[in-house]
Amino acid sequence: FHNFPEKAFSAFGVSKATFPDTFKIQARRFLDVSFAIAALGCVLALFRYLLSASAAAELLRTLLDSKRIRALKNRFGARTRRILSACADILDRRGALIAGALSLAGLTLSLGYYPALGAQLSPVGAFESYGKFAKADEPLAVMGAHPGASFFTGEASEVFTTAQQASDWLLDGKDERRWLVSPSKDLAAINARFRSSGEKPAHNLPVLDARSVQALLLSNRLLPGEKSSNPLDKWLPDTAPALAHPVDAELDKKLKVLGYEIRHKRNSTATDVLEPGEPLTFVIAYEVVGRLSGTWQTFIHIDGEGKRFNGDHDPLGGDYPLRHWQPGDIIVDQYDFELEPSFTPGQYEVYFGMFAGDKRMPVTRGEHLENRIKAGLVQVVEM
């Protein structure tokens, strides 16, 4: 559930879907509650196992005679006494306690987590938002076939099979507001064409509903008071971020490196003091100055004390391939990581860059070592 959350989509017969960022916090809450219920049941069962029957009974009597419990009994009467008595009986039966806790944890997943996850696959939310935001004469189109479109529009909507058709239709609506329901897998291509439409500065495509990974509600305009929830905003901000470590470097005369920083994942504050096992985020900002192609990946090396952290990853989590990067774009690559417990305290050097196979993208400006940009130093401390 934690390391491979997209595997949960298999319960709905969906094998290829990206776990939505907008659902991660809610999903974690469901999982935390479910785990806590199961763990509490097992701990109480172990507690009962370690005590003799007489000791457990005496402890229960002590708890039930406490001042607060007596106040509850007096306030709520017989019903509270029955509930407390039932709890005591359950605690005395280890098997029932474990089975009940695991069943309750399963119900939390079945009635909470999975229905909420299923909503991520449903197009209904996008069509409902279209009915909320759109005026009666504003057309709606869809990528692929969504039967619900005609229910909300009252007539057959245009259906597109390629991102080029869909983006061209959106961009042609210069005198009217147009709407498109599209799966998230097509968002990068449509967004790139929207950014290349000639408007300066370039902006990401407005997304008015991003609850479902299978049905985003896109529009060619964002009105005052409306807020876009385009998941690509995380990677392509309108302005360059002010990072802790500015860097003056360039990759292959196509990517200007603006800076980097390492953040605590818990509060997003920058740090140069790293603790093994702590969740961290490595952030690199670029300005695109030339067209890119190929399948370049990002590498991060944290070297020292005879060890290396190797953070190889697809730029932007694979959400926005390099072929879509356009001159003038500000790119913010963010990579979550943590150092292994084996990292010993000391000073470590930070390098990063891009590679494809055994080839590194050449560093055409800036201090580097074998086409690894020299970014600075960090301090690793004891856990």
Side-chain angles (χ1 to χ4, degrees):
F1 281 114
H2 178 70
N3 294 328
F4 306 101
E6 66 279 356
K7 297 294 185 182
F9 283 120
S10 61
F12 303 97
V14 176
S15 57
K16 293 183 179 180
T18 302
F19 199 84
D21 289 336
T22 53
F23 183 63
K24 285 183 178 179
I25 295 177
Q26 185 182 3
R28 188 58 186 263
R29 287 172 181 163
F30 279 121
L31 296 174
D32 286 347
V33 170
S34 179
F35 174 78
I37 292 171
L40 179 62
C42 293
V43 168
L44 290 176
L46 177 63
F47 173 72
R48 171 62 186 86
Y49 174 76
L50 295 175
L51 287 174
S52 65
S54 59
E58 181 62 30
L59 178 61
L60 285 174
R61 279 195 296 271
T62 302
L63 291 174
L64 294 177
D65 285 338
S66 66
K67 186 179 296 184
R68 181 169 294 181
I69 297 299
R70 286 203 304 272
L72 282 174
K73 288 180 182 178
N74 295 333
R75 183 176 178 184
F76 297 105
R79 178 177 295 181
T80 301
R81 287 195 293 273
R82 286 196 297 270
I83 293 173
L84 293 173
S85 178
C87 290
D89 290 341
I90 292 173
L91 183 58
D92 196 45
R93 299 176 182 177
R94 299 189 301 273
L97 185 62
I98 294 176
L102 294 179
S103 298
L104 188 57
L107 281 173
T108 302
L109 294 177
S110 299
L111 303 179
Y113 177 82
Y114 278 105
L117 181 63
Q120 301 294 316
L121 303 175
S122 171
V124 172
F127 291 124
E128 287 179 344
S129 292
Y130 168 74
K132 172 185 175 182
F133 289 110
K135 296 180 180 178
D137 58 344
E138 294 176 353
L140 172 70
V142 296
M143 282 287 292
H146 282 303
S150 60
F151 175 81
F152 286 96
T153 61
E155 58 185 20
S157 301
E158 290 197 61
V159 178
F160 301 115
T161 57
T162 68
Q164 181 174 342
Q165 293 173 333
S167 54
D168 287 346
W169 179 81
L170 276 177
L171 292 170
D172 285 343
K174 296 181 179 179
D175 299 325
E176 65 177 351
R177 196 178 197 191
R178 294 185 174 185
W179 301 83
L180 175 71
V181 173
S182 169
S184 60
K185 65 182 179 64
D186 296 310
L187 177 62
I190 298 174
N191 190 80
R193 289 182 63 83
F194 182 82
R195 291 182 65 90
S196 65
S197 62
E199 182 181 348
K200 299 298 180 183
H203 296 288
N204 291 322
L205 185 68
V207 177
L208 277 299
D209 192 301
R211 288 176 290 177
S212 170
V213 294
Q214 299 289 63
L216 304 175
L217 179 64
L218 319 179
S219 178
N220 59 342
R221 295 181 187 175
L222 192 67
L223 301 183
E226 295 178 345
K227 183 179 180 181
S228 174
S229 52
N230 190 329
L232 297 177
D233 290 342
K234 171 184 177 182
W235 310 113
L236 289 95
D238 290 337
T239 58
L243 299 183
H245 300 287
V247 175
D248 183 18
E250 197 171 69
L251 291 168
D252 200 22
K253 298 182 179 180
K254 296 176 181 177
L255 278 179
K256 181 181 178 182
V257 183
L258 303 179
Y260 89 99
E261 69 183 23
I262 299 174
R263 297 173 181 167
H264 295 291
K265 191 168 175 60
R266 64 177 183 275
N267 55 18
S268 297
T269 58
T271 183
D272 291 327
V273 180
L274 314 184
E275 183 178 315
E278 180 186 12
L280 301 164
T281 303
F282 199 102
V283 183
I284 308 171
Y286 303 102
E287 181 183 349
V288 183
V289 293
R291 298 293 301 197
L292 293 119
S293 60
T295 55
W296 296 96
Q297 292 181 291
T298 300
F299 68 83
I300 299 167
H301 294 164
I302 301 178
D303 293 350
E305 303 294 331
K307 296 184 180 297
R308 167 176 290 179
F309 168 78
N310 196 11
D312 296 349
H313 64 278
D314 292 325
L316 314 190
D319 293 344
Y320 202 70
L322 271 71
R323 65 179 180 274
H324 296 318
W325 298 13
Q326 303 167 29
D329 285 351
I330 300 297
I331 303 294
V332 179
D333 188 17
Q334 303 178 50
Y335 175 69
D336 293 337
F337 74 102
E338 58 184 57
L339 298 180
E340 296 178 357
S342 60
F343 268 69
T344 55
Q347 200 170 64
Y348 288 72
E349 293 185 285
V350 179
Y351 303 90
F352 63 83
M354 288 195 173
F355 75 101
D358 57 0
K359 178 183 177 182
R360 291 175 182 157
M361 187 179 288
V363 179
T364 49
R365 190 179 77 244
E367 190 177 1
H368 67 97
L369 177 64
E370 298 177 340
N371 289 318
R372 300 187 304 158
I373 295 172
K374 299 184 73 171
L377 300 172
V378 293
Q379 190 74 26
V380 175
V381 297
E382 291 184 358
M383 298 175 59

